[in-house]
Amino acid sequence: MGQDPPVRMSDLAVWEGTFDPQVIDEAFKSYNLTIATTVFAVGKYTRFLRDFLLSAEKHFMVGMNVQYYVFTDLPGDVPGSMTLGVGRRLKIVKVPKFGRWQEISLRRMELIQTAIEEYIHQEAHYIFCLDVDMRFHGRVGPEAVGKLVAAIHPWFYWYPRNQFPYERRNVSTAYIPLDQGDFYYQANVFGGAMEDIHRLTKTCREHLECLPLSRASVCPCPVDKSVGVEALWQEESHLNWYLLRNKPTKLLSPEYVWDDLRGSGAKEIQLVRFSSVIKDNAEVRENI
Ligand SMILES: CC(=O)N[C@H]1[C@@H](OP(=O)(O)OP(=O)(O)OC[C@H]2O[C@@H](n3ccc(=O)[nH]c3=O)[C@H](O)[C@@H]2O)O[C@H](CO)[C@H](O)[C@@H]1O
Ligand SMILES: [Mn+2]
């Protein structure tokens, strides 16, 4: 394992042992904050909702007000009988189903941006945007709250920056040269203050919008050089581009975005708090 990224990460990120949960909880109590939490469950991904929500009720921002927004094309498939904790509510938002999984995933930027503008900004102080194919196993509390919060990808933290899977084609609006970049962030979790995430999602949406998607004929930025180029990891590539220019004010260690595929053997990870479940992509996705 290389030395540089893990050492820097342990200095800067939120890890087990870097905060006192009781002190943090106590400090946040008087603010009575509401945390908006967006999660998309489109098509077959509704199957992940129950475990996601049940585990979130046990571990995610416990003791705080949480307003979940479940974006789905299948409102009838949202588990109806779940009892949420005090101060926690769930709103279903109907969204269209786009044809390709890549587009379902990347369209989240636009849908979150407009939802923030239309109602979320009035209903919460901070916002977290999460993947649904995930489960909480340990505390994710107000220690994760900040102005601009990003999580370090569990597969790349020991790599040198020139091997991060950033978008490397300079015709893309997500292009990052080999000698740039701080960390490779995973798009499964990002969050922050409302205006910061509004700016983030708006910028990423504008950069993504130049793709030949289903509404390509009305592309609003005809001069953009990225027309026709879908970034390597879709919105995640754009998120990484954005966070290179707008540094996160809070870094979450991979404890906060683990991947069950990596197992539990990494010695630097004392505690898995939130992780991607193992899924059969060919079965749940609309296309390969
Ligand atoms: C290991 C890997 O391959 N990682 C990439 C893959 O993550 P993931 O494998 O985590 O992507 P994913 O299949 O979980 O899709 C992202 C999220 O979009 C939503 N969703 C997606 C498809 C669908 O049919 N219905 C639905 O609701 C859902 O909330 C899901 O959690 O894709 C992402 C989106 O571009 C990023 O590029 C990741 O780096
Ligand atoms: Mn996922």
Side-chain angles (χ1 to χ4, degrees):
M1 185 182 286
Q3 286 304 306
D4 194 27
V7 170
R8 289 194 298 138
M9 182 169 64
S10 63
D11 291 342
L12 298 173
V14 182
W15 289 91
E16 180 67 356
T18 61
F19 63 94
D20 181 331
Q22 272 179 314
V23 171
I24 297 264
D25 286 346
E26 201 53 46
F28 270 83
K29 229 185 221 163
S30 59
Y31 292 103
N32 198 26
L33 296 177
T34 298
I35 311 293
T37 305
T38 66
V39 62
F40 284 68
V42 174
K44 292 182 183 170
Y45 280 59
T46 53
R47 69 181 59 178
F48 297 112
L49 268 175
R50 179 171 292 277
D51 282 351
F52 173 92
L53 290 167
L54 283 173
S55 65
E57 283 301 287
K58 268 194 209 140
H59 300 294
F60 180 65
M61 303 294 168
V62 173
M64 302 185 75
N65 305 311
V66 171
Q67 173 68 62
Y68 298 103
Y69 298 91
V70 176
F71 293 77
T72 184
D73 59 326
L74 300 167
D77 288 4
V78 176
S81 58
M82 280 187 42
T83 315
L84 303 178
V86 175
R88 303 169 74 98
R89 288 179 305 178
L90 186 151
K91 189 179 272 187
I92 297 173
V93 183
K94 185 112 187 339
V95 291
K97 178 173 162 191
F98 295 100
R100 297 161 57 243
W101 72 265
Q102 293 92 337
E103 189 169 358
I104 293 172
S105 186
L106 66 83
R107 284 280 188 178
R108 289 181 292 176
M109 290 294 184
E110 166 186 352
L111 292 163
I112 293 168
Q113 180 211 329
T114 50
I116 290 174
E117 289 166 7
E118 287 168 14
Y119 47 89
I120 299 179
H121 78 277
Q122 294 172 326
E123 299 175 359
H125 303 96
Y126 288 88
I127 177 168
F128 277 84
C129 307
L130 308 176
D131 262 23
V132 74
D133 57 331
M134 306 204 58
R135 203 173 291 176
F136 292 88
H137 307 276
R139 176 199 166 95
V140 175
E143 75 281 359
V145 172
K147 202 169 143 55
L148 183 58
V149 183
I152 297 169
H153 198 298
W155 287 100
F156 299 102
Y157 57 85
W158 60 90
Y159 281 62
R161 61 164 58 82
N162 64 7
Q163 286 177 38
F164 289 160
Y166 293 145
E167 173 57 62
R168 302 298 190 181
R169 293 167 296 178
N170 64 10
V171 290
S172 169
T173 45
Y175 170 63
I176 298 179
L178 288 170
D179 60 350
Q180 289 185 32
D182 306 305
F183 299 101
Y184 188 75
Y185 303 103
Q186 191 163 32
N188 305 17
V189 177
F190 60 88
M194 212 51 78
E195 61 174 295
D196 294 80
I197 298 307
H198 179 255
R199 202 154 76 86
L200 180 157
T201 51
K202 184 167 184 286
T203 306
C204 289
R205 177 251 183 109
E206 285 165 2
H207 287 182
L208 283 157
E209 212 156 43
C210 306
L211 299 171
L213 300 173
S214 31
R215 285 194 260 150
S217 55
V218 292
C219 178
C221 46
V223 294
D224 193 279
K225 61 184 178 173
S226 80
V227 170
V229 178
E230 181 171 288
L232 180 61
W233 291 113
Q234 298 82 37
E235 79 291 350
E236 186 171 272
S237 302
H238 291 275
L239 176 74
N240 273 279
W241 181 94
Y242 184 87
L243 293 171
L244 176 58
R245 284 156 185 81
N246 304 271
K247 306 293 187 198
T249 62
K250 183 155 291 191
L251 275 181
L252 301 180
S253 73
E255 293 174 1
Y256 289 80
V257 273
W258 199 245
D259 183 345
D260 290 353
L261 270 176
R262 276 208 67 198
S264 54
K267 63 177 183 326
E268 63 277 17
I269 303 295
Q270 293 181 45
L271 172 65
V272 172
R273 301 168 189 277
F274 188 44
S275 68
S276 296
V277 302
I278 296 171
K279 66 183 189 298
D280 179 351
N281 287 337
E283 213 267 311
V284 292
R285 287 177 173 169
E286 300 301 311
N287 54 298
I288 302 303

